[in-house]
Amino acid sequence: MTSSRLDFCRQLAADAGRHAHRAFGSSVISLKGRHDEVTAMDREVEDLIRSRIAQAFPDDAVLGEEAGASRGLAEAAVVWVIDPIDGTANYARGIAHYAVSIGCVAGNQPLLCALYDPSHDRLYHAARGKGAWLSEGGGAARRLAVSTVSALDAATVEVGWSLRRPQADYLALLQRVMSAGCAFRRAGSGALGLADVAAGRTEGYCELHINSWDCAAGLLLVTEAGGRVNDFFRDDGLGHGNPVLATNAALGEALAAVIDMPLHTTP
Ligand code: LIP
């Protein structure tokens, strides 16, 4: 089941990303809410992804950011979790930091994923138990590994933000991260923030609430690259989102204490 879906997923993420990149920086922004942008290309790319999945795997269910859940989501053995353009605000403003994120979930845990960053021609992919990989510029894939940084005051943590949680909670989280001596960043794409942890560019990604389509792919990249994550999928995280924490192995427990989010017992 995995290898055919993984090959399909990699090709689909790359095709969808190249399609999205045609309108990079020139899309008209609509608002689903304050600081919650959407473009016509978000919907166009999700339609492309959905149609290819329906043709190749008609019995699978789909959950996407723009069109929601397909019929049979609760009963399906396999659910494709898609964000057609993660980092929409960046995409619409011509900031080269966005990605197509496609996760494939079975038994309420990610089975495989592909995440494509068109601005850098970076295709990330992983299958459970088979490592996390990155192909750049169409070249041979190299295996990813989280960083070995083991001191909080040498760590960089990305802190995702949205208006889905009170500003005071966000500021308190930032205070804890800064007081621990960590550098922090917020770059507007949870998917790429998690990919940065998997690639060893940063030591952690956290957010007080994130949706499953933003993180289903990135969480698998992190664990397959030797990192640790919280139990994002508990209490219907797939359907309603949850807080998220992903870390390298060395700083897992220390960052979990700073950010006040327990990591999954099974790294
Ligand atoms: C983004 C998420 C990110 C969050 C942003 C935004 P979108 O998703 O990936 O984690 O901090 O506010 O929600 O809306 O660009 O697909």
Side-chain angles (χ1 to χ4, degrees):
M1 173 169 88
T2 302
S3 59
S4 62
R5 277 184 171 79
L6 182 57
D7 293 341
F8 167 84
C9 189
R10 277 201 304 253
Q11 187 63 57
L12 181 53
D15 291 349
R18 293 186 181 107
H19 183 87
H21 212 54
R22 297 175 190 168
F24 172 61
S26 61
S27 287
V28 175
I29 301 175
S30 303
L31 288 176
K32 296 185 284 187
R34 201 154 65 86
H35 294 301
D36 189 6
E37 292 85 351
V38 63
T39 69
M41 188 55 86
D42 286 82
R43 298 187 177 100
E44 190 174 311
V45 170
E46 184 164 326
D47 289 347
L48 182 159
I49 294 171
R50 283 174 177 268
S51 65
R52 294 268 287 270
I53 292 171
Q55 190 177 8
F57 301 104
D59 295 333
D60 293 0
V62 178
L63 173 62
E65 176 169 12
E66 307 310 335
S70 64
R71 286 188 308 278
L73 181 72
E75 303 76 33
V78 176
V79 181
W80 296 85
V81 187
I82 56 182
D83 191 337
I85 297 178
D86 185 68
T88 296
N90 294 336
Y91 175 81
R93 290 173 170 76
I95 298 170
H97 191 75
Y98 76 95
V100 173
S101 181
I102 303 175
C104 189
V105 173
N108 205 36
Q109 287 298 324
L111 177 68
L112 57 92
C113 68
L115 196 156
Y116 183 59
D117 167 359
S119 307
H120 301 91
D121 195 8
R122 284 176 176 164
L123 179 60
Y124 301 84
H125 58 90
R128 202 187 303 163
K130 298 187 185 303
W133 302 82
L134 169 60
S135 169
E136 294 187 88
R142 65 178 175 85
R143 190 144 186 174
L144 295 178
V146 294
S147 87
T148 56
V149 169
S150 58
L152 285 172
D153 61 6
T156 293
V157 177
E158 181 165 352
V159 182
W161 171 79
S162 73
L163 290 172
R164 297 185 295 270
R165 288 294 180 269
Q167 181 171 343
D169 295 354
Y170 178 71
L171 292 173
L173 171 57
L174 277 181
Q175 179 72 49
R176 296 198 299 274
V177 169
M178 294 166 75
S179 299
C182 305
F184 73 93
R185 57 186 268 129
R186 190 260 167 175
S189 167
L192 287 180
L194 292 164
D196 281 335
V197 176
R201 302 185 191 109
T202 63
E203 282 63 57
Y205 185 92
C206 63
E207 192 159 351
L208 294 177
H209 178 276
I210 195 171
N211 290 301
S212 58
W213 44 79
D214 298 320
C215 66
L219 286 169
L220 184 62
L221 290 176
V222 170
T223 54
E224 288 300 319
R228 298 188 61 192
V229 297
N230 70 316
D231 187 9
F232 170 82
F233 289 93
R234 75 185 184 284
D235 303 333
D236 194 19
L238 182 70
H240 295 101
N242 256 326
V244 70
L245 173 61
T247 72
N248 71 0
L251 279 173
E253 292 306 332
L255 280 173
V258 168
I259 290 158
D260 193 21
M261 275 189 216
L263 288 166
H264 218 347
T265 48
T266 52

